[in-house]
Amino acid sequence: MTKISLLKRADYNMAENAVKEAVDLLGGISSFVKPGEKILIKPNLLSPKTPDKAVTTHPEIVRGIIRLVKSAGAVAVVGDSPGGVYSEDINNLWEVTGIADVCKEENAELVSFEAAGSREIDINDANIKKALFSKIVLDCDGIINLPKLKTHTLMTFTAGIKNFYGVIPGLRKVEYHKLASKNEDFARLLANIYLFLKNKIRFTLIDGILAMEGNGPSSGKIRKMDMVAACADTLMLDAFLFDILGGNKTAKNHVLEVFGITSEDLKHLTIIGDLPGNFNLDNFTFPQARKLDIVPKPIVKILGKFLWVKPIINAAKCIGCMSCAKSCPVQAIEKKDKEKRPSVIYEKCITCFCCHELCPYKAIDFKKSMLVKLFMQ
Ligand code: SF4
Ligand code: SF4
């Protein structure tokens, strides 16, 4: 039986206790971490957003884990590689997300995955022959994964497994979107990264006190979920969370499909702590663009070319910073000389939605085909 600890905690003032309790319910930190080990703590630091925006793992969750790791006699190192161009000003990201202060106060090393250097690794992926991994990820003794509970416009849902995409440094992440451009291929890439790291992962603890629904992972709606959950098995934690959020009824999760996870597998989970029924889970919404995934295959075969959702730049919100263009793997965003704002070249666009994920001003909306507008609102 796989154990999942699930706790209801209403705010981040209680985060340290919640983290400790969640790990204690799984057997305590000493069952995961040994004295003298170098443990990499991997939060989700997607972009420079303050903790109240629910885009990044809350610093108080990170503090709780640093203290636990140290209490076990191990060395705590915190690190990540943000999305798109944000690694170019990593100190700003550390400051804004609150991670710099926590690491300083707790005397834990804070490592940029780019600055740590990288190595190419064969992860047995059909599209990415050699994947570039940050050296710190390869050289540490173990990893504690601290994702944020959010939706994701490309992958439907981001929790434990998707958080490991951050081990790929800098803009290489953008490049792999081009090489694994179909949803199924990108899900397989995430699965292969996870499988490569699996033996190093001590446990995953998810920050779902403030979660995100709708068009995540950065422009969705903040949802107060009051949830902290932990498990030694990242895949089963993701499967459990997706299920209790109603994902198995209303959406599709390509990563879980790669692993062939079914409702039968969920029966082998033991939930310790609070019951799922104690949480505000009703009518959780998944990204609009992913409604395409649940159209039956025979309909897609006939009407596929009339069923689409594409990014469109909202002129009222866009300030012309061009971060989206730098994050586009196929250079499908361009600004003409006399124009203040860029536009999307649809002939090139592979609908990876990196631009939507990384626009700091929530200025990427969705343009829908007539059929999608009529039948999939
Ligand atoms: S859409 Fe967003 S990222 Fe792109 S130029 Fe406008 S504000 Fe910048
Ligand atoms: S325009 Fe946006 S959705 Fe299209 S390929 Fe570029 S980043 Fe991806």
Side-chain angles (χ1 to χ4, degrees), residues 134-266:
S134 174
K135 269 190 196 161
I136 181 80
V137 177
L138 301 170
D139 296 343
C140 67
D141 295 307
I143 303 171
I144 294 179
N145 185 28
L146 299 183
K148 188 83 180 164
L149 183 57
K150 297 188 290 182
T151 49
H152 193 276
T153 300
L154 181 65
M155 285 288 100
T156 310
F157 175 63
T158 165
I161 290 184
K162 175 72 180 62
N163 195 37
F164 289 116
Y165 197 50
V167 306
I168 312 289
L171 287 169
R172 195 59 75 102
K173 286 194 278 298
V174 168
E175 196 184 318
Y176 294 169
H177 272 282
K178 182 175 161 185
L179 298 170
S181 61
K182 289 187 187 150
N183 286 30
E184 298 77 11
D185 290 343
F186 192 69
R188 230 169 276 127
L189 170 61
L190 295 179
N192 287 331
I193 292 171
Y194 165 67
L195 287 174
F196 179 80
L197 295 172
K198 199 174 167 204
N199 290 340
K200 277 200 174 204
I201 304 165
R202 302 301 167 84
F203 61 85
T204 289
L205 182 142
I206 193 151
D207 169 11
I209 294 180
L210 278 188
M212 183 177 283
E213 64 178 335
N215 298 318
S218 55
S219 301
K221 213 170 121 197
I222 297 171
R223 170 120 173 192
K224 198 165 158 16
M225 199 77 87
D226 298 343
M227 184 187 290
V228 170
C231 184
D233 185 330
T234 306
L235 173 62
M236 289 318 298
L237 179 62
D238 279 11
F240 166 74
L241 293 168
F242 190 63
D243 187 57
I244 63 171
L245 293 172
N248 287 331
K249 293 189 194 108
T250 60
K252 196 169 179 175
N253 186 318
H254 290 287
V255 176
L256 297 182
E257 277 195 356
V258 171
F259 289 100
I261 299 293
T262 64
S263 51
E264 198 52 39
D265 298 305
L266 297 169

Side-chain angles (χ1 to χ4, degrees), residues 37 39 54 58 94 113 280 312 342:
E37 286 188 321
I39 300 296
H58 199 283
W94 297 151
F113 283 1
N280 165 27
I312 185 166

